[in-house]
Amino acid sequence: MQLAIKLIFAQVGIDEILDTGAATSQSIAEGWDKQWLDLLQNNTSNNLYGALTNLGIFFAVGTLLFFMIQFLKDLISYEYTRPISALIWPFIVVVLLSNSGNGSILSNLTLEVRNFLNTVNQQVVVSADADKMYQQALNMSVAEEVAGSFLRPCQSLTGEQQSQCFVKAAEKVNVLWQKYRDIYGNKSWISRLQTKVDNIRYGTGIVSETSFNSLLGSTVQTSIKNFLVSLQYAFQNLIEATMLLIAALGPIAVGGSLLPVAGKPIFAWLTGFLSIGIAKISFNIIAVLTAAVIVNGPGQNANVDPDLMWFIIFLGILAPILSLLVAAAGGFAVFSAISSTASLVKERV
């Protein structure tokens, strides 16, 4: 059974659409886990993170001169109140950049934040996708293309040859319908698609181009859907790669935080890291909620034959853009909050 299903989806290039929304998101995150550990914890004295940590220490030593100049200036102007509170920054930089060879405090904290964001993301997806909404909506959107990959060759045949072609194609498609029923139960949208295939299979005479296209779409549309489905998986991998890149640049941000400026680089770095986490969570929330609209609407009505191309476009293009806009707004709010808190603490100490 599994082999047959894999062969079906290999033919249209979307093998992973039978995975649940939660499993898809989790598998992508787990695929990056080893890379995170290799970069941030394993042999950090000699790997890329170790080199960036040394660069951060170099920046810290260089900016220490500017820090001391500002410190002496404040000591003269404000006596001891403000200069003493500023001494916390050299201590923070030294502690965070201390590298034992098995990860620094900064790398371990970065991993903990990443794991926390992944846990929150997974909880959001699992709780919102309790009825496999995301999976059903994706399969509703591509099921006709899957059936069409088998039925379309029969269009050019006539008579008995076409009838035999329909019989063989329907046997293969029935494997797909049964797989769907095993996963979701006897849903209305499955019965509707099966009825459409059966109408073509048992129809008399030559099946018209219009009848085929109403069920199967076109090869161009199939290619576009395959591309957009792959595009959303690419976006999720891009999110993971961006998080890892920002994590790797953490030592440089910490090393530059001794500069006597109001907006510390470490705040900007932390904001960027959290913003990517917000984008990741936002994308999954948007995808699951949109899928629920499809499954609970046209998916429950056997008489409705919706064109779900918009859903694939939404997932592949619009949802990533929207999630990035939400992350940018959230990141700005986080940066403002952190900067205001740091200024308040500095004034009180």
Side-chain angles (χ1 to χ4, degrees):
M1 177 70 74
Q2 290 295 333
L3 178 60
I5 294 297
K6 289 181 179 180
L7 289 175
I8 289 174
F9 287 103
Q11 195 162 19
V12 292
I14 43 178
D15 306 65
E16 293 181 334
I17 64 173
L18 285 178
D19 294 334
T20 63
T24 299
S25 178
Q26 185 177 15
S27 65
I28 290 175
E30 290 176 349
W32 287 90
D33 282 346
K34 186 177 184 301
Q35 189 63 42
W36 277 83
L37 293 176
D38 289 342
L39 181 65
L40 299 183
Q41 280 195 335
N42 298 335
N43 193 24
T44 53
S45 296
N46 300 316
N47 67 0
L48 175 62
Y49 194 81
L52 292 173
T53 300
N54 292 334
L55 182 59
I57 294 173
F58 175 79
F59 281 0
V61 173
T63 56
L64 182 61
L65 175 62
F66 298 98
F67 176 83
M68 293 304 300
I69 293 174
Q70 185 65 39
F71 178 81
L72 294 174
K73 181 180 178 181
D74 292 341
L75 187 64
I76 296 172
S77 302
Y78 301 95
E79 294 183 351
Y80 295 100
T81 306
R82 186 171 176 180
I84 291 177
S85 65
L87 287 176
I88 190 66
W89 281 109
F91 175 76
I92 291 175
V93 171
V94 170
V95 170
L96 291 180
L97 294 182
S98 298
N99 190 357
S100 64
N102 292 319
S104 62
I105 293 179
L106 176 62
S107 66
N108 290 328
L109 288 175
T110 303
L111 274 176
E112 289 298 323
V113 173
R114 186 251 181 179
N115 292 336
F116 173 75
L117 291 174
N118 277 348
T119 300
V120 173
N121 177 68
Q122 199 59 32
Q123 289 175 346
V124 168
V125 174
V126 170
S127 61
D129 201 26
D131 295 323
K132 302 178 180 179
M133 297 293 184
Y134 176 79
Q135 178 192 16
Q136 284 196 64
L138 260 185
N139 284 327
M140 285 176 61
S141 303
V142 300
E144 292 188 358
E145 271 67 29
V146 176
S149 67
F150 292 104
L151 292 174
R152 192 175 292 114
C154 303
Q155 184 182 13
S156 60
L157 302 177
T158 59
E160 184 63 24
Q161 287 184 328
Q162 187 180 68
S163 299
Q164 292 298 320
C165 179
F166 283 152
V167 170
K168 294 179 180 179
E171 290 175 354
K172 296 176 182 179
V173 175
N174 285 337
V175 175
L176 179 64
W177 304 146
Q178 186 58 48
K179 181 64 178 180
Y180 283 157
R181 288 190 171 94
D182 291 341
I183 297 175
Y184 312 121
N186 192 21
K187 299 293 184 179
S188 298
W189 63 271
I190 303 175
S191 300
R192 172 175 55 80
L193 292 176
Q194 185 174 16
T195 300
K196 292 178 70 176
V197 172
D198 289 342
N199 287 340
I200 291 180
R201 175 187 175 183
Y202 298 112
T204 58
I206 300 176
V207 180
S208 67
E209 181 74 19
T210 302
S211 299
F212 264 93
N213 287 340
S214 64
L215 171 65
L216 312 178
S218 65
T219 55
V220 174
Q221 181 172 314
T222 300
S223 300
I224 293 174
K225 283 189 175 182
N226 294 341
F227 172 75
L228 292 174
V229 169
S230 299
L231 195 62
Q232 63 154 318
Y233 294 138
F235 175 75
Q236 294 183 58
N237 278 279
L238 178 63
I239 289 291
E240 289 291 336
T242 305
M243 288 185 71
L244 186 58
L245 175 62
I246 295 176
L249 296 177
I252 298 178
V254 172
S257 295
L258 291 181
L259 286 171
V261 294
K264 298 294 184 181
I266 190 174
F267 295 157
W269 171 79
L270 181 59
T271 300
F273 194 78
L274 293 177
S275 296
I276 294 299
I278 293 173
K280 181 178 182 178
I281 295 172
S282 299
F283 175 81
N284 285 299
I285 292 176
I286 293 168
V288 170
L289 293 180
T290 308
V293 171
I294 294 174
V295 173
N296 294 330
Q300 299 296 331
N301 191 339
N303 297 320
V304 175
D305 188 12
D307 181 6
L308 299 181
M309 186 67 182
W310 71 267
F311 176 64
I312 302 298
I313 295 174
F314 187 85
L315 284 183
I317 300 176
L318 301 181
I321 294 174
L322 180 57
S323 63
L324 291 177
L325 292 176
V326 171
F332 178 78
V334 170
F335 182 77
S336 299
I338 293 176
S339 299
S340 299
T341 302
S343 300
L344 181 62
V345 171
K346 186 175 181 180
E347 292 174 358
R348 294 292 179 87
V349 176

